[in-house]
Amino acid sequence: MLSITSQYLSRHRRLAADHPDTLLPVTGAQRRFMLVRSLDPSGRPDVVPMFFAFPSGTIDPERLRSAAHRLAARHTALRSRPEIVRGTPLLRVPDPGAPNDPDTPDATLTRPAPTPGEQPADTLRRALAAWEPQGPPMRLFLVPDVQRDEDVLAVALDHAVCDGRSLARIVDELGAAYGEDATDPHAAAAETTAELAAYRDAVLRQLAAEERAETPEAAAYWAQRLRSVHTHAPAPLPARLPHGAHPTGAAQARLPAHDGGVSFPELLDACRSAARELYGPDRAVPLGYPWGGRPAEAEPVVGCFLNTLVFPADTGRGPGSEATADAWWDDLDRADVPFDAVVTAARAAGGGWSGGLDGLLTVDDDSRRPPLVLAGVEGREVHVDGRPVRGPFAVSVTQGAELRLRMVWDRAVLDDETAHRAFAALTHALRPRGLPAT
């Protein structure tokens, strides 16, 4: 029987036979995001925003709009549109030789006007919530913060076209493009064509790796690994939310950096401690985390190449267990099996897991996150809380000179008091030994 990836590639070849340069396949990671989007009643994608504060008057909006347009026009993923063709997720790429259609721009910059008394964070939340599904995958929003004498810039992307490595490149190239004068259109067209070839090559290499990974042995491994997993988060209850409250709660903490950093198994154990507070002891809670990178020999193209792996967190097990590290390393040996194939294997084996995730963990290294610099001015990265989260709770960890922890939760699913207890358990598990609680 053909694997899911083999079937997908076969369908793509049939559908794109007459359009090889305009209908590209998508990676397993992109496929997951596109299918989730298709199941959303509003068709809204998962959106990844970055927020930067600049001194008022620093940013020239027209120069920034031009820079964003040139950046997006260069990268295949940013100038294309995800599309479901006869049930098959694909990426529709405009002809690089065709003139730009003003009705389908590669990127947009808008300046949403605040309503009376509205704070900049509220304005940005409102603008992001009004994301039009059919628009470009990269959009910029510029909002004044009169009280701080700053302008806050949001650079937001459809998650189906970006991962952590892409975000770093986009920030770096957006700043570089802002500092450029008008470029030679012929040179830009040649660069766009080269990026298209590199992007197609990278995606096909990724799919080849996924196809090789989908073996009967790998399917049996994941079926056994997830045999006891069930989703435990309760169904969303809009009545939980007080009138006018933000849909998402948030908590954050800064801890001294550990010598050598915190290992990924330690982070998984800390999330296990949080899950115990949220869902109770003696549960097998499915936690998702992104993992992966560009295939060997592929160019560092902008796109989404991070698979979502599932870690069955046993909330009855104490933290610090070597079993976590051993199991995690075994999981990584099968990390190229795409998420939908893992779900299919678990279901085929009669498990009770439907594919839902009770929590998400993402990890960043701040040395790999370049600042956004516009005309020599470095933007200060800020957070805007209260935005919807695709899941009951999500933990983000940034390692560097200190350990920065953030946890957000869906307040229609989890109450604030329980979520704060879970965050306290998370931070306690990651506090360096000998450091008293604060």
Side-chain angles (χ1 to χ4, degrees), residues 251 274 277-278 407 409 414-424:
E277 293 292 333
L278 294 174
M407 178 173 136
W409 59 91
L414 304 171
D415 66 87
D416 288 351
E417 182 178 355
T418 303
H420 280 290
R421 286 202 308 269
F423 185 67

Side-chain angles (χ1 to χ4, degrees), residues 232-256:
H232 298 286
L237 294 174
R240 286 180 182 268
L241 291 178
H243 178 69
H246 296 312
T248 304
Q252 59 184 344
R254 293 172 180 261
L255 300 178

